[in-house]
Amino acid sequence: EAGVAQSPRYKIIEKRQSVAFWCNPISGHATLYWYQQILGQGPKLLIQFQNNGVVDDSQLPKDRFSAERLKGVDSTLKIQPAKLEDSAVYLCASSLVLMLGTGTGELFFGEGSRLTVL
Amino acid sequence: AQTVTQSQPEMSVQEAETVTLSCTYDTSESDYYLFWYKQPPSRQMILVIRQEAYKQQNATENRFSVNFQKAAKSFSLKISDSQLGDAAMYFCAYSSNYQLIWGAGTKLIIKP
């Protein structure tokens, strides 16, 4: 079974430029998450989708970040314009179920996209 | 609001020995789930073990086991017979619904 695919793995841009990250979740997983992980910290949820609807985007900086999950499968996270503090690893994860305590309740992660903003 | 605290930023252990990573959480819920995730260097995060709060029996997965103390709101991870491949960041996480609350992580170093 294929895992969560993310691209690009690495991206270096200058501040005020834009960048987009792509994620393809495990087939059949209805729930998709975008996390921001700054070095030495735990993951911070940016946005959570259930199919193509947004469950939680309370911590997404909407003035510069946007995300979409058209057709309820793959997803794109965009940053425009980027700031220095956006340097982080952007993790995409998917799960079979929305309620993490039910069923297997497991998140499957991609390898992440490391962004460096100069 | 629920919180998860990992008070050990870094731990080290000799290969083949046992190490315990600490995690405490705060919640007013009675039904919830706790997780330990492992993030090896430059590799993806994977689930190590999970515990349902309604179960009194501590979860085990091969060399990994937890000590779940519900009244104390404590959820520690014990790794027995530590191996070089166990070197990673370990994150404790809590969920009572669709949200996952993460701790800051503990970096585990394995000394050969």
Side-chain angles (χ1 to χ4, degrees):
Chain A
E1 180 182 81
V4 176
Q6 286 190 250
S7 67
R9 285 295 310 279
Y10 304 93
K11 189 74 176 179
I12 301 174
I13 61 173
E14 297 194 347
K15 59 182 179 183
R16 290 187 291 273
Q17 287 187 325
S18 63
V19 62
F21 301 111
W22 174 82
C23 172
N24 191 35
I26 291 174
S27 178
H29 281 198
T31 312
L32 184 147
Y33 311 75
W34 281 104
Y35 284 96
Q36 181 192 59
Q37 187 177 26
I38 293 172
L39 187 64
Q41 298 183 16
K44 170 189 168 184
L45 181 68
L46 294 175
I47 191 166
Q48 180 178 345
F49 292 96
Q50 178 69 3
N51 296 310
N52 59 352
V54 175
V55 175
D56 185 353
D57 65 355
S58 58
Q59 298 192 87
L60 186 74
K62 297 180 184 65
D63 58 336
R64 298 184 301 105
F65 286 65
S66 64
E68 60 182 11
R69 191 184 184 195
L70 300 176
K71 301 180 182 179
V73 181
D74 56 349
S75 176
T76 303
L77 175 71
K78 296 179 181 177
I79 308 174
Q80 182 180 7
K83 292 185 175 180
L84 296 177
E85 58 260 36
D86 297 333
S87 294
V89 176
Y90 291 86
L91 299 172
C92 180
S94 68
S95 66
L96 187 60
V97 296
L98 175 62
M99 303 299 285
L100 294 172
T102 59
T104 60
E106 178 178 355
L107 262 64
F108 293 84
F109 285 83
E111 292 184 311
S113 294
R114 182 178 297 276
L115 174 65
T116 302
V117 182
L118 303 176
Chain B
Q2 297 95 345
T3 59
V4 175
T5 301
Q6 293 180 251
S7 59
Q8 306 153 317
E10 186 175 294
M11 291 282 286
S12 63
V13 63
Q14 205 73 32
E15 193 177 1
E17 295 192 344
T18 296
V19 64
T20 299
L21 308 184
S22 301
C23 173
T24 59
Y25 58 94
D26 188 27
T27 183
S28 58
E29 303 284 341
S30 59
D31 195 16
Y32 50 87
Y33 303 83
L34 297 163
F35 308 84
W36 279 99
Y37 279 85
K38 170 186 176 183
Q39 188 177 36
S42 300
R43 294 179 60 187
Q44 63 255 58
M45 186 124 47
I46 59 172
L47 178 67
V48 175
I49 198 164
R50 56 174 270 163
Q51 174 80 42
E52 292 88 346
Y54 64 84
K55 289 186 177 179
Q56 293 194 358
Q57 187 172 8
N58 289 325
T60 62
E61 287 288 341
N62 301 314
R63 298 183 294 108
F64 298 86
S65 61
V66 299
N67 183 5
F68 173 48
Q69 302 288 329
K70 191 172 184 178
K73 296 180 182 175
S74 170
F75 182 60
S76 60
L77 175 69
K78 186 172 83 170
I79 306 174
S80 304
D81 184 26
S82 297
Q83 300 175 0
L84 294 178
D86 295 334
M89 285 291 292
Y90 286 82
F91 293 95
C92 178
Y94 161 101
S95 180
S96 62
N97 47 40
Y98 63 86
Q99 294 180 319
L100 197 59
I101 311 298
W102 296 85
T106 296
K107 182 178 181 179
L108 179 63
I109 298 168
I110 310 295
K111 299 177 182 177

